[in-house]
Amino acid sequence: MFLLVKYKKILLLFIVILCITLGIYFNQLWPKQNSLPFERLEREHINKITAIYSIYPHYELSQNECDELIELLSNIVIFEKDTTWGKEPYVGVYCEMFYIEYTNGQTIDISGPPPFFFINDVAYKTSYDPCHKVSDFYWDIVNTKIRPLEQ
């Protein structure tokens, strides 16, 4: 009888630890509503950031440009997944803006045409101003670094 109680306590402890571990793991995978998905993004965790524009050659951001983008991304607040994406007339505004490659090999693509912000092709509603600043930064890179290469 004593042995049975002891194993029940061990099993219960194992289940609690497993639930906590899984909760932490899944919490890191998906952005949450009203969250700052890039608030802990730090330069030392990033291998490179690449700007993408149409058929032009990709442009790898300099260290200063990476720092500026990281600062802009840290202010992005996402509210909820947008379920209307692809069903409304604004479907043509999406284009991938940046690929972020982490030092651990993970990659994500982001895009920020206001009032949406995309993380790995999933649309989130967001506040306009921070998203617009990322978009302005992107178009500045395109117009000063990528498009001049065509001449």
Side-chain angles (χ1 to χ4, degrees), residues 58-86:
H58 299 340
Y59 173 76
E60 188 173 327
L61 274 63
S62 70
Q63 189 163 6
N64 289 339
E65 291 165 336
C66 286
D67 292 340
E68 185 176 348
L69 180 60
I70 290 167
E71 178 65 31
L72 293 171
L73 290 174
S74 69
N75 296 315
I76 296 289
V77 178
I78 58 173
F79 300 118
E80 59 189 39
K81 279 186 182 179
D82 181 58
T83 57
T84 62
W85 180 253

PDB file of all heavy atoms in Angstrom, residues 58-86:
ATOM      1  N   HIS A  58      19.061  39.554 -53.397  1.00  0.00           N
ATOM      2  CA  HIS A  58      18.792  39.834 -51.993  1.00  0.00           C
ATOM      3  C   HIS A  58      19.907  40.713 -51.437  1.00  0.00           C
ATOM      4  O   HIS A  58      21.045  40.648 -51.882  1.00  0.00           O
ATOM      5  CB  HIS A  58      18.705  38.547 -51.189  1.00  0.00           C
ATOM      6  CG  HIS A  58      17.604  37.627 -51.642  1.00  0.00           C
ATOM      7  ND1 HIS A  58      16.527  38.035 -52.379  1.00  0.00           N
ATOM      8  CD2 HIS A  58      17.420  36.302 -51.446  1.00  0.00           C
ATOM      9  CE1 HIS A  58      15.730  37.022 -52.625  1.00  0.00           C
ATOM     10  NE2 HIS A  58      16.253  35.944 -52.076  1.00  0.00           N
ATOM     11  N   TYR A  59      19.563  41.501 -50.442  1.00  0.00           N
ATOM     12  CA  TYR A  59      20.528  42.406 -49.826  1.00  0.00           C
ATOM     13  C   TYR A  59      20.682  42.039 -48.359  1.00  0.00           C
ATOM     14  O   TYR A  59      19.714  42.029 -47.603  1.00  0.00           O
ATOM     15  CB  TYR A  59      20.056  43.863 -49.959  1.00  0.00           C
ATOM     16  CG  TYR A  59      20.904  44.839 -49.198  1.00  0.00           C
ATOM     17  CD1 TYR A  59      22.148  45.214 -49.677  1.00  0.00           C
ATOM     18  CD2 TYR A  59      20.471  45.367 -47.989  1.00  0.00           C
ATOM     19  CE1 TYR A  59      22.937  46.109 -48.965  1.00  0.00           C
ATOM     20  CE2 TYR A  59      21.246  46.255 -47.273  1.00  0.00           C
ATOM     21  CZ  TYR A  59      22.480  46.631 -47.772  1.00  0.00           C
ATOM     22  OH  TYR A  59      23.264  47.502 -47.067  1.00  0.00           O
ATOM     23  N   GLU A  60      21.912  41.725 -47.962  1.00  0.00           N
ATOM     24  CA  GLU A  60      22.192  41.416 -46.561  1.00  0.00           C
ATOM     25  C   GLU A  60      22.447  42.709 -45.804  1.00  0.00           C
ATOM     26  O   GLU A  60      23.312  43.503 -46.183  1.00  0.00           O
ATOM     27  CB  GLU A  60      23.407  40.492 -46.448  1.00  0.00           C
ATOM     28  CG  GLU A  60      23.628  39.989 -45.037  1.00  0.00           C
ATOM     29  CD  GLU A  60      24.722  38.951 -44.944  1.00  0.00           C
ATOM     30  OE1 GLU A  60      24.900  38.170 -45.891  1.00  0.00           O
ATOM     31  OE2 GLU A  60      25.402  38.916 -43.900  1.00  0.00           O
ATOM     32  N   LEU A  61      21.671  42.930 -44.754  1.00  0.00           N
ATOM     33  CA  LEU A  61      21.772  44.166 -43.995  1.00  0.00           C
ATOM     34  C   LEU A  61      23.107  44.256 -43.265  1.00  0.00           C
ATOM     35  O   LEU A  61      23.644  43.246 -42.792  1.00  0.00           O
ATOM     36  CB  LEU A  61      20.644  44.262 -42.965  1.00  0.00           C
ATOM     37  CG  LEU A  61      19.316  44.847 -43.435  1.00  0.00           C
ATOM     38  CD1 LEU A  61      18.674  44.006 -44.522  1.00  0.00           C
ATOM     39  CD2 LEU A  61      18.364  45.008 -42.271  1.00  0.00           C
ATOM     40  N   SER A  62      23.631  45.478 -43.177  1.00  0.00           N
ATOM     41  CA  SER A  62      24.846  45.721 -42.412  1.00  0.00           C
ATOM     42  C   SER A  62      24.526  45.612 -40.928  1.00  0.00           C
ATOM     43  O   SER A  62      23.356  45.543 -40.529  1.00  0.00           O
ATOM     44  CB  SER A  62      25.394  47.118 -42.719  1.00  0.00           C
ATOM     45  OG  SER A  62      24.521  48.095 -42.170  1.00  0.00           O
ATOM     46  N   GLN A  63      25.551  45.636 -40.119  1.00  0.00           N
ATOM     47  CA  GLN A  63      25.347  45.517 -38.674  1.00  0.00           C
ATOM     48  C   GLN A  63      24.511  46.681 -38.142  1.00  0.00           C
ATOM     49  O   GLN A  63      23.606  46.485 -37.336  1.00  0.00           O
ATOM     50  CB  GLN A  63      26.689  45.447 -37.951  1.00  0.00           C
ATOM     51  CG  GLN A  63      26.544  45.099 -36.490  1.00  0.00           C
ATOM     52  CD  GLN A  63      27.848  44.641 -35.884  1.00  0.00           C
ATOM     53  OE1 GLN A  63      28.886  44.682 -36.516  1.00  0.00           O
ATOM     54  NE2 GLN A  63      27.782  44.213 -34.646  1.00  0.00           N
ATOM     55  N   ASN A  64      24.785  47.899 -38.618  1.00  0.00           N
ATOM     56  CA  ASN A  64      24.001  49.055 -38.175  1.00  0.00           C
ATOM     57  C   ASN A  64      22.550  48.954 -38.626  1.00  0.00           C
ATOM     58  O   ASN A  64      21.627  49.305 -37.878  1.00  0.00           O
ATOM     59  CB  ASN A  64      24.619  50.360 -38.697  1.00  0.00           C
ATOM     60  CG  ASN A  64      25.922  50.677 -38.008  1.00  0.00           C
ATOM     61  OD1 ASN A  64      26.205  50.197 -36.917  1.00  0.00           O
ATOM     62  ND2 ASN A  64      26.744  51.489 -38.658  1.00  0.00           N
ATOM     63  N   GLU A  65      22.332  48.484 -39.851  1.00  0.00           N
ATOM     64  CA  GLU A  65      20.971  48.311 -40.348  1.00  0.00           C
ATOM     65  C   GLU A  65      20.234  47.228 -39.563  1.00  0.00           C
ATOM     66  O   GLU A  65      19.047  47.369 -39.256  1.00  0.00           O
ATOM     67  CB  GLU A  65      20.989  47.968 -41.842  1.00  0.00           C
ATOM     68  CG  GLU A  65      21.445  49.120 -42.714  1.00  0.00           C
ATOM     69  CD  GLU A  65      21.807  48.693 -44.120  1.00  0.00           C
ATOM     70  OE1 GLU A  65      22.139  47.508 -44.341  1.00  0.00           O
ATOM     71  OE2 GLU A  65      21.769  49.569 -45.009  1.00  0.00           O
ATOM     72  N   CYS A  66      20.940  46.152 -39.217  1.00  0.00           N
ATOM     73  CA  CYS A  66      20.337  45.099 -38.386  1.00  0.00           C
ATOM     74  C   CYS A  66      19.913  45.661 -37.035  1.00  0.00           C
ATOM     75  O   CYS A  66      18.810  45.384 -36.560  1.00  0.00           O
ATOM     76  CB  CYS A  66      21.309  43.945 -38.180  1.00  0.00           C
ATOM     77  SG  CYS A  66      21.541  42.893 -39.610  1.00  0.00           S
ATOM     78  N   ASP A  67      20.791  46.443 -36.431  1.00  0.00           N
ATOM     79  CA  ASP A  67      20.469  47.043 -35.138  1.00  0.00           C
ATOM     80  C   ASP A  67      19.249  47.954 -35.234  1.00  0.00           C
ATOM     81  O   ASP A  67      18.380  47.941 -34.357  1.00  0.00           O
ATOM     82  CB  ASP A  67      21.665  47.828 -34.594  1.00  0.00           C
ATOM     83  CG  ASP A  67      22.830  46.932 -34.217  1.00  0.00           C
ATOM     84  OD1 ASP A  67      22.612  45.714 -34.013  1.00  0.00           O
ATOM     85  OD2 ASP A  67      23.963  47.443 -34.140  1.00  0.00           O
ATOM     86  N   GLU A  68      19.168  48.725 -36.321  1.00  0.00           N
ATOM     87  CA  GLU A  68      18.022  49.620 -36.506  1.00  0.00           C
ATOM     88  C   GLU A  68      16.730  48.816 -36.692  1.00  0.00           C
ATOM     89  O   GLU A  68      15.704  49.144 -36.100  1.00  0.00           O
ATOM     90  CB  GLU A  68      18.258  50.525 -37.713  1.00  0.00           C
ATOM     91  CG  GLU A  68      17.189  51.566 -37.903  1.00  0.00           C
ATOM     92  CD  GLU A  68      17.488  52.520 -39.048  1.00  0.00           C
ATOM     93  OE1 GLU A  68      18.621  52.540 -39.561  1.00  0.00           O
ATOM     94  OE2 GLU A  68      16.545  53.240 -39.445  1.00  0.00           O
ATOM     95  N   LEU A  69      16.795  47.757 -37.492  1.00  0.00           N
ATOM     96  CA  LEU A  69      15.610  46.925 -37.699  1.00  0.00           C
ATOM     97  C   LEU A  69      15.184  46.231 -36.412  1.00  0.00           C
ATOM     98  O   LEU A  69      13.994  46.162 -36.095  1.00  0.00           O
ATOM     99  CB  LEU A  69      15.848  45.895 -38.800  1.00  0.00           C
ATOM    100  CG  LEU A  69      14.666  44.968 -39.099  1.00  0.00           C
ATOM    101  CD1 LEU A  69      13.447  45.763 -39.546  1.00  0.00           C
ATOM    102  CD2 LEU A  69      15.047  43.930 -40.136  1.00  0.00           C
ATOM    103  N   ILE A  70      16.130  45.729 -35.647  1.00  0.00           N
ATOM    104  CA  ILE A  70      15.817  45.074 -34.372  1.00  0.00           C
ATOM    105  C   ILE A  70      15.104  46.053 -33.444  1.00  0.00           C
ATOM    106  O   ILE A  70      14.125  45.706 -32.781  1.00  0.00           O
ATOM    107  CB  ILE A  70      17.085  44.495 -33.722  1.00  0.00           C
ATOM    108  CG1 ILE A  70      17.578  43.296 -34.525  1.00  0.00           C
ATOM    109  CG2 ILE A  70      16.846  44.115 -32.268  1.00  0.00           C
ATOM    110  CD1 ILE A  70      18.971  42.837 -34.170  1.00  0.00           C
ATOM    111  N   GLU A  71      15.570  47.296 -33.418  1.00  0.00           N
ATOM    112  CA  GLU A  71      14.925  48.320 -32.599  1.00  0.00           C
ATOM    113  C   GLU A  71      13.485  48.560 -33.058  1.00  0.00           C
ATOM    114  O   GLU A  71      12.561  48.661 -32.242  1.00  0.00           O
ATOM    115  CB  GLU A  71      15.721  49.622 -32.660  1.00  0.00           C
ATOM    116  CG  GLU A  71      15.117  50.756 -31.878  1.00  0.00           C
ATOM    117  CD  GLU A  71      15.092  50.515 -30.371  1.00  0.00           C
ATOM    118  OE1 GLU A  71      15.979  49.819 -29.847  1.00  0.00           O
ATOM    119  OE2 GLU A  71      14.161  51.032 -29.723  1.00  0.00           O
ATOM    120  N   LEU A  72      13.277  48.633 -34.375  1.00  0.00           N
ATOM    121  CA  LEU A  72      11.931  48.830 -34.913  1.00  0.00           C
ATOM    122  C   LEU A  72      11.034  47.629 -34.607  1.00  0.00           C
ATOM    123  O   LEU A  72       9.867  47.795 -34.237  1.00  0.00           O
ATOM    124  CB  LEU A  72      11.992  49.066 -36.422  1.00  0.00           C
ATOM    125  CG  LEU A  72      12.651  50.368 -36.874  1.00  0.00           C
ATOM    126  CD1 LEU A  72      12.831  50.369 -38.389  1.00  0.00           C
ATOM    127  CD2 LEU A  72      11.849  51.565 -36.420  1.00  0.00           C
ATOM    128  N   LEU A  73      11.575  46.430 -34.762  1.00  0.00           N
ATOM    129  CA  LEU A  73      10.779  45.221 -34.511  1.00  0.00           C
ATOM    130  C   LEU A  73      10.392  45.074 -33.050  1.00  0.00           C
ATOM    131  O   LEU A  73       9.343  44.515 -32.735  1.00  0.00           O
ATOM    132  CB  LEU A  73      11.541  43.978 -34.971  1.00  0.00           C
ATOM    133  CG  LEU A  73      11.702  43.806 -36.480  1.00  0.00           C
ATOM    134  CD1 LEU A  73      12.600  42.617 -36.785  1.00  0.00           C
ATOM    135  CD2 LEU A  73      10.359  43.652 -37.163  1.00  0.00           C
ATOM    136  N   SER A  74      11.221  45.577 -32.163  1.00  0.00           N
ATOM    137  CA  SER A  74      10.918  45.436 -30.732  1.00  0.00           C
ATOM    138  C   SER A  74       9.658  46.203 -30.335  1.00  0.00           C
ATOM    139  O   SER A  74       9.083  45.951 -29.278  1.00  0.00           O
ATOM    140  CB  SER A  74      12.108  45.881 -29.887  1.00  0.00           C
ATOM    141  OG  SER A  74      12.289  47.280 -29.988  1.00  0.00           O
ATOM    142  N   ASN A  75       9.217  47.133 -31.180  1.00  0.00           N
ATOM    143  CA  ASN A  75       8.012  47.918 -30.888  1.00  0.00           C
ATOM    144  C   ASN A  75       6.753  47.358 -31.538  1.00  0.00           C
ATOM    145  O   ASN A  75       5.668  47.907 -31.342  1.00  0.00           O
ATOM    146  CB  ASN A  75       8.221  49.368 -31.354  1.00  0.00           C
ATOM    147  CG  ASN A  75       9.322  50.039 -30.582  1.00  0.00           C
ATOM    148  OD1 ASN A  75       9.401  49.936 -29.370  1.00  0.00           O
ATOM    149  ND2 ASN A  75      10.202  50.719 -31.290  1.00  0.00           N
ATOM    150  N   ILE A  76       6.873  46.287 -32.314  1.00  0.00           N
ATOM    151  CA  ILE A  76       5.717  45.697 -32.984  1.00  0.00           C
ATOM    152  C   ILE A  76       4.854  44.963 -31.959  1.00  0.00           C
ATOM    153  O   ILE A  76       5.339  44.096 -31.235  1.00  0.00           O
ATOM    154  CB  ILE A  76       6.159  44.710 -34.091  1.00  0.00           C
ATOM    155  CG1 ILE A  76       6.910  45.430 -35.202  1.00  0.00           C
ATOM    156  CG2 ILE A  76       4.971  43.925 -34.638  1.00  0.00           C
ATOM    157  CD1 ILE A  76       6.068  46.323 -36.068  1.00  0.00           C
ATOM    158  N   VAL A  77       3.584  45.326 -31.909  1.00  0.00           N
ATOM    159  CA  VAL A  77       2.617  44.644 -31.049  1.00  0.00           C
ATOM    160  C   VAL A  77       1.608  43.967 -31.968  1.00  0.00           C
ATOM    161  O   VAL A  77       1.011  44.616 -32.814  1.00  0.00           O
ATOM    162  CB  VAL A  77       1.872  45.628 -30.122  1.00  0.00           C
ATOM    163  CG1 VAL A  77       0.842  44.892 -29.277  1.00  0.00           C
ATOM    164  CG2 VAL A  77       2.840  46.397 -29.259  1.00  0.00           C
ATOM    165  N   ILE A  78       1.459  42.655 -31.817  1.00  0.00           N
ATOM    166  CA  ILE A  78       0.441  41.949 -32.602  1.00  0.00           C
ATOM    167  C   ILE A  78      -0.762  41.696 -31.716  1.00  0.00           C
ATOM    168  O   ILE A  78      -0.626  41.421 -30.529  1.00  0.00           O
ATOM    169  CB  ILE A  78       0.974  40.648 -33.234  1.00  0.00           C
ATOM    170  CG1 ILE A  78       1.502  39.688 -32.182  1.00  0.00           C
ATOM    171  CG2 ILE A  78       2.034  40.953 -34.274  1.00  0.00           C
ATOM    172  CD1 ILE A  78       1.883  38.331 -32.734  1.00  0.00           C
ATOM    173  N   PHE A  79      -1.958  41.796 -32.320  1.00  0.00           N
ATOM    174  CA  PHE A  79      -3.185  41.667 -31.549  1.00  0.00           C
ATOM    175  C   PHE A  79      -3.823  40.293 -31.710  1.00  0.00           C
ATOM    176  O   PHE A  79      -4.065  39.600 -30.761  1.00  0.00           O
ATOM    177  CB  PHE A  79      -4.171  42.761 -31.933  1.00  0.00           C
ATOM    178  CG  PHE A  79      -3.626  44.134 -31.671  1.00  0.00           C
ATOM    179  CD1 PHE A  79      -3.448  45.033 -32.704  1.00  0.00           C
ATOM    180  CD2 PHE A  79      -3.262  44.521 -30.403  1.00  0.00           C
ATOM    181  CE1 PHE A  79      -2.940  46.292 -32.465  1.00  0.00           C
ATOM    182  CE2 PHE A  79      -2.746  45.776 -30.148  1.00  0.00           C
ATOM    183  CZ  PHE A  79      -2.590  46.671 -31.192  1.00  0.00           C
ATOM    184  N   GLU A  80      -4.086  39.909 -32.940  1.00  0.00           N
ATOM    185  CA  GLU A  80      -4.750  38.631 -33.174  1.00  0.00           C
ATOM    186  C   GLU A  80      -4.463  38.197 -34.598  1.00  0.00           C
ATOM    187  O   GLU A  80      -4.120  39.011 -35.454  1.00  0.00           O
ATOM    188  CB  GLU A  80      -6.255  38.749 -32.951  1.00  0.00           C
ATOM    189  CG  GLU A  80      -6.904  39.771 -33.858  1.00  0.00           C
ATOM    190  CD  GLU A  80      -8.349  40.061 -33.502  1.00  0.00           C
ATOM    191  OE1 GLU A  80      -8.679  40.126 -32.312  1.00  0.00           O
ATOM    192  OE2 GLU A  80      -9.134  40.231 -34.450  1.00  0.00           O
ATOM    193  N   LYS A  81      -4.608  36.906 -34.853  1.00  0.00           N
ATOM    194  CA  LYS A  81      -4.480  36.418 -36.222  1.00  0.00           C
ATOM    195  C   LYS A  81      -5.588  37.034 -37.053  1.00  0.00           C
ATOM    196  O   LYS A  81      -6.707  37.193 -36.587  1.00  0.00           O
ATOM    197  CB  LYS A  81      -4.601  34.894 -36.279  1.00  0.00           C
ATOM    198  CG  LYS A  81      -3.359  34.170 -35.925  1.00  0.00           C
ATOM    199  CD  LYS A  81      -3.543  32.685 -36.166  1.00  0.00           C
ATOM    200  CE  LYS A  81      -2.298  31.935 -35.763  1.00  0.00           C
ATOM    201  NZ  LYS A  81      -2.447  30.500 -35.962  1.00  0.00           N
ATOM    202  N   ASP A  82      -5.246  37.376 -38.277  1.00  0.00           N
ATOM    203  CA  ASP A  82      -6.245  37.938 -39.168  1.00  0.00           C
ATOM    204  C   ASP A  82      -6.840  36.823 -40.005  1.00  0.00           C
ATOM    205  O   ASP A  82      -6.152  36.237 -40.836  1.00  0.00           O
ATOM    206  CB  ASP A  82      -5.630  39.011 -40.060  1.00  0.00           C
ATOM    207  CG  ASP A  82      -6.663  39.622 -40.967  1.00  0.00           C
ATOM    208  OD1 ASP A  82      -7.659  40.157 -40.449  1.00  0.00           O
ATOM    209  OD2 ASP A  82      -6.491  39.531 -42.192  1.00  0.00           O
ATOM    210  N   THR A  83      -8.096  36.548 -39.796  1.00  0.00           N
ATOM    211  CA  THR A  83      -8.753  35.452 -40.513  1.00  0.00           C
ATOM    212  C   THR A  83      -9.334  35.896 -41.843  1.00  0.00           C
ATOM    213  O   THR A  83      -9.776  35.065 -42.627  1.00  0.00           O
ATOM    214  CB  THR A  83      -9.873  34.847 -39.653  1.00  0.00           C
ATOM    215  OG1 THR A  83     -10.791  35.885 -39.313  1.00  0.00           O
ATOM    216  CG2 THR A  83      -9.313  34.216 -38.391  1.00  0.00           C
ATOM    217  N   THR A  84      -9.344  37.202 -42.122  1.00  0.00           N
ATOM    218  CA  THR A  84      -9.891  37.689 -43.393  1.00  0.00           C
ATOM    219  C   THR A  84      -8.830  37.743 -44.479  1.00  0.00           C
ATOM    220  O   THR A  84      -9.146  38.018 -45.632  1.00  0.00           O
ATOM    221  CB  THR A  84     -10.492  39.099 -43.234  1.00  0.00           C
ATOM    222  OG1 THR A  84      -9.457  40.000 -42.852  1.00  0.00           O
ATOM    223  CG2 THR A  84     -11.603  39.098 -42.212  1.00  0.00           C
ATOM    224  N   TRP A  85      -7.569  37.512 -44.123  1.00  0.00           N
ATOM    225  CA  TRP A  85      -6.484  37.633 -45.098  1.00  0.00           C
ATOM    226  C   TRP A  85      -6.717  36.704 -46.283  1.00  0.00           C
ATOM    227  O   TRP A  85      -6.974  35.528 -46.109  1.00  0.00           O
ATOM    228  CB  TRP A  85      -5.132  37.313 -44.455  1.00  0.00           C
ATOM    229  CG  TRP A  85      -4.034  37.449 -45.447  1.00  0.00           C
ATOM    230  CD1 TRP A  85      -3.332  36.452 -46.030  1.00  0.00           C
ATOM    231  CD2 TRP A  85      -3.542  38.648 -46.019  1.00  0.00           C
ATOM    232  NE1 TRP A  85      -2.436  36.941 -46.919  1.00  0.00           N
ATOM    233  CE2 TRP A  85      -2.548  38.295 -46.934  1.00  0.00           C
ATOM    234  CE3 TRP A  85      -3.852  39.998 -45.862  1.00  0.00           C
ATOM    235  CZ2 TRP A  85      -1.844  39.241 -47.688  1.00  0.00           C
ATOM    236  CZ3 TRP A  85      -3.154  40.923 -46.597  1.00  0.00           C
ATOM    237  CH2 TRP A  85      -2.172  40.538 -47.488  1.00  0.00           C
ATOM    238  N   GLY A  86      -6.638  37.252 -47.472  1.00  0.00           N
ATOM    239  CA  GLY A  86      -6.851  36.483 -48.687  1.00  0.00           C
ATOM    240  C   GLY A  86      -8.294  36.517 -49.156  1.00  0.00           C
ATOM    241  O   GLY A  86      -8.592  36.088 -50.256  1.00  0.00           O
TER     242      GLY A  86
END
